[in-house]
Amino acid sequence: MSEHDIIDRVRKHLLVGGRWRASADGSVFGVSDPGTGATLCEVADGQADDAKAAVETAVEAQDEWAATPPRQRGEILRRAWQLMTDRTDELATLMTLEMGKSLTESRAEVAYAADYFRWFSEEAVRIDGNYKRTPDGSARMIVTRQPVGPCLLITPWNFPLAMGTRKIGPAIAAGCTMIVKPAQLTPLSMLALADLLAEAGVPDGVVNVVPSTSASRVVNPVLADPRIRKMSFTGSTEVGRMLVEQCAPNLQRMSMELGGNAAFLVFSDADLDAAVEGAVTAKMRNNGESCVAANRFLVQSSVAEEFTRKLTDRMAELRMGHGTQPDVVVGPLVNEGQRATVSELVEDAVSRGARATTGGEPGGGDGYFYRPTVLADVPDDARILREEVFGPVAPVTTFADEDEALAGANDTEYGLVGYVFTRDLDRAIRVGEGLATGMVGINTGLVSNASAPFGGVKASGFGREGGDEGLAEYLETKYLSLALRS
Ligand code: SIN
């Protein structure tokens, strides 16, 4: 199918109560291709009244949906996994067009995203409970799990499908209805996904999608409604803090996947070639636009020069271009603002004494390109060591010993993930346990997996997505106390 046909097939409306409809005031907004800056199409611009209508339909559908047999919900998810898998090329092209990442990256994301549906299709039938005697033997306790109720799911632009399926999947498995607010920059992938979910058998009103140019216009009326019982957000720490405040009056349950500042530690006993490959994955997956991207490379002094040289060679050979072109590995950043932030952080580091051993500047075409960059001799006061760069830049610093490595890695307000490369098992465990993060990659640059609990600590948020922990976030524990008459 041509790119034009792929865009054409997407329903560019709001999905409310199973109906695709225009926004309350008929307004639309443009979606553009970061690889060219050109507008791809226009999408209905959700208003507060649309958000309220979505709440009504989600609330109305909740009881019947909660009562469906778990197997039925699991089978819907399994069909959705199959449909996504069958349509990988189409979904990947759509994602590349609106987000920029290369087709290889987009295909990998479709597989990763679909895997959340497969995983939660299997978990839907394993929602457990228990039956116990009270300690004095006079009564019985039945503990069961029920869906939390209608949810608001707010998804980011960097993984337009996977961050959706990892929230929608467990919500469906648990029996929750939902309102999804996709990122303004990348609504098309979510609209295509919603269409596919309807085809897989999701009943009307269970999944509602309201794209909008104003997040607050959608989010405020939804969270102000006490019938909405949960909010899940992936995005910046700054916005996450505001959303936590907004959930306070109605005490809605929250899952917060926020910013990161991942340290990537390389010890002198590491397999250096494996560490370089791990570094390229941890840094360059998704063009570096990921909260789990390695943000700081801390390398033991004795191997720092060799590691930096090898990483520089690998980064320099990565082919940059429009994501739809064959063999392209690095696409454009999502917009000019993102590219300006990356430039600013690199310029700051260089002005303080860092050296770009490759890249160090924008370039590569009409879109928002930034060259894969390695920075050596980065001083401690460089902003790039504190702020999330969200781009293809690898700053390298050094450490003398394990204590210094751990202290440096933990010297950040964030705590999402850390990476350790070493051949010493004792050290791997010590450092893995010592990192103040929710996740650790040991001799790997990739921790993301639908069956694992993804999430952070400190300013990286709370709650987990994926794994059985991801389903628990959409379930309430209920206890029934059963008195015995004799
Ligand atoms: C993110 O960057 O927000 C998520 C990355 C992942 O799931 O691997």
Side-chain angles (χ1 to χ4, degrees):
M1 207 183 297
S2 72
E3 288 171 15
H4 178 268
D5 288 346
I6 289 171
I7 300 278
D8 214 40
R9 265 178 68 142
V10 179
R11 295 181 185 246
K12 300 166 191 79
H13 287 92
L14 318 174
L15 177 62
V16 179
R19 274 187 48 232
W20 293 93
R21 43 177 258 195
S23 66
D25 67 354
S27 57
V28 293
F29 66 98
V31 180
S32 55
D33 174 355
T36 61
T39 301
L40 295 167
C41 62
E42 287 177 334
V43 167
D45 190 0
Q47 306 297 309
D49 282 345
D50 299 311
K52 289 181 193 158
V55 170
E56 291 310 321
T57 190
V59 168
E60 209 175 294
Q62 178 57 56
D63 286 353
E64 200 179 327
W65 179 236
T68 54
R71 173 79 70 205
Q72 190 178 322
R73 298 197 299 269
E75 280 169 1
I76 289 173
L77 287 171
R78 181 76 189 191
R79 279 197 293 278
W81 167 77
Q82 187 66 61
L83 287 170
M84 287 184 79
T85 305
D86 294 346
R87 293 182 197 160
T88 297
D89 284 347
E90 192 182 325
L91 290 168
T93 303
L94 187 63
M95 201 182 332
T96 290
L97 287 171
E98 67 173 346
M99 190 273 173
K101 67 178 88 174
S102 71
L103 272 181
T104 310
E105 287 278 346
S106 290
R107 285 196 193 101
E109 180 176 343
V110 176
Y112 175 45
D115 218 25
Y116 281 103
F117 281 166
R118 179 165 56 174
W119 170 259
F120 286 112
S121 77
E122 292 154 355
E123 290 297 287
V125 291
R126 292 189 175 80
I127 297 172
D128 62 357
N130 61 52
Y131 176 89
K132 285 192 259 193
R133 294 179 72 191
T134 53
D136 68 2
S138 68
R140 301 293 178 267
M141 302 186 288
I142 301 169
V143 178
T144 185
R145 319 237 184 255
Q146 296 183 324
V148 291
C151 305
L152 171 64
L153 312 178
I154 308 173
T155 60
W157 52 261
N158 62 339
F159 287 92
L161 280 180
M163 299 304 98
T165 58
R166 122 167 148 191
K167 298 178 195 303
I168 296 169
I172 288 182
C176 299
T177 61
M178 65 210 82
I179 298 145
V180 185
K181 157 69 185 74
Q184 178 186 342
L185 293 171
T186 56
L188 302 179
S189 300
M190 181 54 73
L191 292 169
L193 183 70
D195 206 8
L196 180 151
L197 281 167
E199 197 179 328
V202 171
D204 293 352
V206 170
V207 176
N208 304 279
V209 182
V210 186
S212 181
T213 49
S214 164
S216 58
R217 204 160 59 205
V218 172
V219 168
N220 295 355
V222 176
L223 290 181
D225 195 314
R227 295 172 299 172
I228 297 298
R229 295 313 315 145
K230 178 180 169 68
M231 196 264 310
S232 175
F233 171 69
T234 298
S236 71
T237 298
E238 194 190 343
V239 174
R241 286 195 172 106
M242 293 191 302
L243 288 169
V244 170
E245 282 181 22
Q246 272 189 273
C247 286
N250 288 319
L251 293 172
Q252 278 122 342
R253 293 251 312 250
M254 289 172 274
S255 306
M256 289 283 175
E257 294 299 344
L258 308 178
N261 181 8
F264 187 104
L265 306 179
V266 183
F267 286 90
S268 56
D269 60 14
D271 173 339
L272 221 52
D273 291 328
V276 170
E277 283 318 303
V280 173
T281 302
K283 179 71 261 179
M284 295 307 292
R285 173 170 174 255
N286 218 43
N287 292 342
E289 292 172 303
S290 167
C291 56
V292 285
N295 210 53
R296 303 168 284 151
F297 291 82
L298 280 63
V299 187
Q300 198 148 18
S301 306
S302 53
V303 291
E305 206 181 307
E306 189 183 350
F307 175 84
T308 308
R309 180 169 38 77
K310 289 185 166 179
L311 182 62
T312 300
D313 292 348
R314 281 288 283 114
M315 293 280 274
E317 73 191 22
L318 300 177
R319 182 149 181 253
M320 190 167 70
H322 193 282
T324 56
Q325 285 166 17
D327 303 332
V328 159
V329 181
V330 187
L333 297 178
V334 76
N335 62 13
E336 185 47 45
Q338 198 57 39
R339 180 165 69 170
T341 304
V342 172
S343 286
E344 205 179 293
L345 290 174
V346 170
E347 279 160 27
D348 170 79
V350 169
S351 74
R352 293 171 200 268
R355 264 181 317 117
T357 57
T358 185
E361 56 184 7
D366 291 339
Y368 312 116
F369 293 94
Y370 198 92
R371 297 188 187 286
T373 298
V374 178
L375 296 175
D377 306 329
V378 181
D380 286 349
D381 61 352
R383 281 176 50 201
I384 202 162
L385 300 182
R386 313 242 148 246
E387 298 173 33
E388 196 175 20
V389 62
F390 237 65
V393 183
V396 183
T397 65
T398 58
F399 63 83
D401 56 28
E402 198 176 299
D403 287 346
E404 196 183 324
L406 261 180
N410 288 337
D411 184 17
T412 169
E413 64 168 323
Y414 296 104
L416 188 58
V417 64
Y419 302 91
V420 191
F421 275 75
T422 175
R423 284 193 176 99
D424 179 336
L425 181 60
D426 290 354
R427 167 176 280 155
I429 300 289
R430 259 193 327 264
V431 174
E433 290 182 355
L435 283 169
T437 56
M439 302 177 286
V440 178
I442 298 175
N443 294 324
T444 176
L446 184 67
V447 295
S448 309
N449 190 308
S451 60
F454 186 106
V457 298
K458 304 197 296 184
S460 293
F462 47 82
R464 294 293 179 268
E465 295 190 303
D468 27 307
E469 294 86 348
L471 181 56
E473 303 267 330
Y474 292 83
L475 294 167
E476 288 290 5
T477 298
K478 174 169 286 177
Y479 144 60
L480 310 180
S481 175
L482 182 66
L484 296 187
R485 277 180 295 167
S486 58

